[in-house]
Amino acid sequence: MPAREFLSEEDEQKIVAAIEKAEKNTTGEIRVHLEFKCKGDPLERAKILFHELEMDQTEARNGVILYIASDDKKVAIYGDEGISSQVDDDFWQKEIDRLITAFKQEKFDEGIEIVVGDIGERLKSYFPGTKSNRDELDNEISFEDNRGKKNDE
Ligand code: CA
């Protein structure tokens, strides 16, 4: 499913709002990255993007990327060292499972919103918001058009 059809513009706005809300009470940062294809391991891809998108530049190293390859139906969540040192791998896996379950029911935006909310709660417990809480990373969904050029597409 093409990423642009995967989420409508309205869905995107809802997700951006969910990110804003999740970040309100934490210094943590959440970004959703969407693309079509993922040839290899989605977690490896998520880590590469995390650095490419300079998400490792936050002050408390508490950025989290939620990675989705819509055609290949692969998802991964990767958190920077500040947050990943606090959270069990179980937590990330549970959220991934939650996303996959929602996607199977074609509740794409809803699934992402719920998981963004969960991650926000977790970030809040370790990295509560400060008075000068600034938005270190843009809340817009980052998107990559890496659609393959196969004839059957
Ligand atoms: Ca942000």
Side-chain angles (χ1 to χ4, degrees):
M1 185 181 301
R4 282 294 182 203
E5 290 165 30
F6 177 76
L7 294 175
S8 69
E9 226 163 88
E10 200 190 327
D11 293 340
E12 284 189 29
Q13 288 318 307
K14 279 198 272 181
I15 290 165
V16 172
I19 293 170
E20 263 169 30
K21 191 177 162 214
E23 290 183 354
K24 216 169 192 170
N25 298 305
T26 175
T27 60
E29 293 286 334
I30 301 170
R31 174 172 278 159
V32 174
H33 181 92
L34 200 60
E35 61 189 9
F36 297 115
K37 304 275 186 193
C38 176
K39 279 185 187 148
D41 177 10
L43 184 58
E44 290 307 314
R45 176 70 182 141
K47 284 183 198 172
I48 290 168
L49 284 162
F50 191 88
H51 297 291
E52 274 182 14
L53 297 168
E54 299 187 336
M55 292 183 67
D56 50 4
Q57 304 295 315
T58 63
E59 207 175 317
R61 300 297 302 266
N62 54 3
V64 177
I65 187 168
L66 208 161
Y67 170 78
I68 300 160
S70 59
D71 272 12
D72 291 331
K73 299 186 173 58
K74 289 182 184 175
V75 298
I77 302 173
Y78 176 71
D80 209 345
E81 57 192 34
I83 178 74
S84 61
S85 61
Q86 307 274 4
V87 170
D88 290 339
D89 288 344
D90 270 13
F91 172 72
W92 304 119
Q93 191 54 50
K94 231 171 66 191
E95 296 305 322
I96 289 167
D97 292 345
R98 192 165 273 190
L99 266 184
I100 291 170
T101 304
F103 288 1
K104 279 183 182 156
Q105 298 166 344
E106 302 202 345
K107 293 178 178 169
F108 304 114
D109 60 316
E110 212 180 302
I112 296 168
E113 280 174 59
I114 289 169
V115 167
V116 163
D118 286 351
I119 294 170
E121 283 299 311
R122 221 15 120 85
L123 283 169
K124 191 172 92 180
S125 66
Y126 300 117
F127 303 98
T130 57
K131 266 193 179 156
S132 57
N133 195 2
R134 54 196 182 91
D135 191 26
E136 292 180 275
L137 300 170
D138 198 323
N139 298 337
E140 292 295 319
I141 294 175
S142 83
F143 176 81
E144 196 153 322
D145 188 348
N146 62 347
R147 199 152 175 63
K149 285 182 180 169
K150 280 192 281 175
N151 290 330
D152 59 347
E153 288 177 335

